[in-house]
Amino acid sequence: MKIKALSRLAVLILLGVFLARPDWFGWLFAPLTRNGQAAIYTQNSLLNLTLNHLAIVAAATLAGSIVAIGLAVLVTRPAGREFLPLSRTLANAGQTFPPVAVLALAVPVLGFGTAPTLLALFLYGLLPIFENALAGLASVSPDVQEAARGTGMTDGQRLLRVELPLALPTIIAGIRISAIISMGTATIGSTVAASTLGETIIAGLINSNLAFVAQGALVVGALAIIVNTSLFAIERHFSRYRQDQR
C-alpha cells in the first residue's frame, strides 16, 4: 500500500512540475521533433488546458451521476419498475452513438466550444454509472431493508440511510469507470474548439510534431491514473464501511 501511495504521489508531483514549468522538460521531448520544431507546446498554457480538461470531465461526470443514479433509484422503486427497460435503453443509447457523431450533431444546435463536448461526455458516461447503481441497489439484502422498515423508517429514510450508503461502493466504481472514459474521450472536444488537452494532440498531428502529441497524451494518461486511484481509494473506504454494517 505504501508503494502504491508513493507512486501516486510521485505521478502527481511530476505532473505538477511539468505543468508549472514545461520548459524544463524540453530536452525530454526534443528527440520527437524534427527540422527545428519546438519541443514544448506554447500556443496555450498546458496548465490552463489541463484545468479546463478536468473541469469539463468533472461537470459531465457529475451531471451523468445525478441522472443515472436518479434513474436507478426510480426503477428500483415499486412504482417505477415498469420504466426499467426504457431507462436501460436510454443509458445504452449514449454509448451506441460515438462521441464524434454526437459532436457533429450537437454543433449546429449548441455551437462550437464546450457545450457539445459536455453533451457527448454526458451521454457516453451514463451507462456504467446507471448499471452499477442498479447493481448496488439490487445487492442490498431484503433482510436489511426489512430491519430498517421495522425500526419505523419511511421509504425515503431507508433509501438515504440504508440503501444508498450500502450501494455506494458499487456506485462509485461506476462513476470511476465513467470518469476514466471521459478523461480520454474529452480530447476530441478540441475538434469543435473546446479547450482541452486534445488541442496539443491536434496541433501535433497537423504539424507532424510527435512531441506535442506525446505531451497531450502523457498528461491525459497521468490525470487518468490520478483520478482512477483516488476514486478507487474512496471506493475501498466505503466498501469497508459496508462490510462493517453487515
Side-chain angles (χ1 to χ4, degrees), residues 56 103 107 110-119 188-196:
I56 292 172
L103 288 177
V107 165
L110 301 176
F112 288 90
T114 301
T117 305
L118 277 172
L119 177 61
I188 67 171
S190 291
T191 61
V192 293
S195 181
T196 74

Side-chain angles (χ1 to χ4, degrees), residues 56-90:
I56 292 172
V57 170
T61 303
L62 176 61
S65 298
I66 293 172
V67 172
I69 295 172
L71 283 175
V73 169
L74 172 65
V75 300
T76 53
R77 306 304 98 182
R81 282 175 185 157
E82 62 185 86
F83 296 104
L84 176 57
L86 176 60
S87 298
R88 183 162 273 151
T89 298
L90 291 174

Side-chain angles (χ1 to χ4, degrees), residues 3 10 13 84 89 94 126 162 172:
I3 295 177
I13 292 174
L84 176 57
T89 298
L126 278 177
V162 178
I172 293 175

Side-chain angles (χ1 to χ4, degrees), residues 189-230:
S190 291
T191 61
V192 293
S195 181
T196 74
L197 288 163
E199 181 178 319
T200 65
I201 298 173
I202 293 172
L205 293 174
I206 291 174
N207 297 291
S208 299
N209 189 334
L210 291 179
F212 292 172
V213 176
Q215 284 159 50
L218 287 173
V219 174
V220 170
L223 290 175
I225 291 172
I226 293 169
V227 170
N228 181 64
T229 54
S230 299

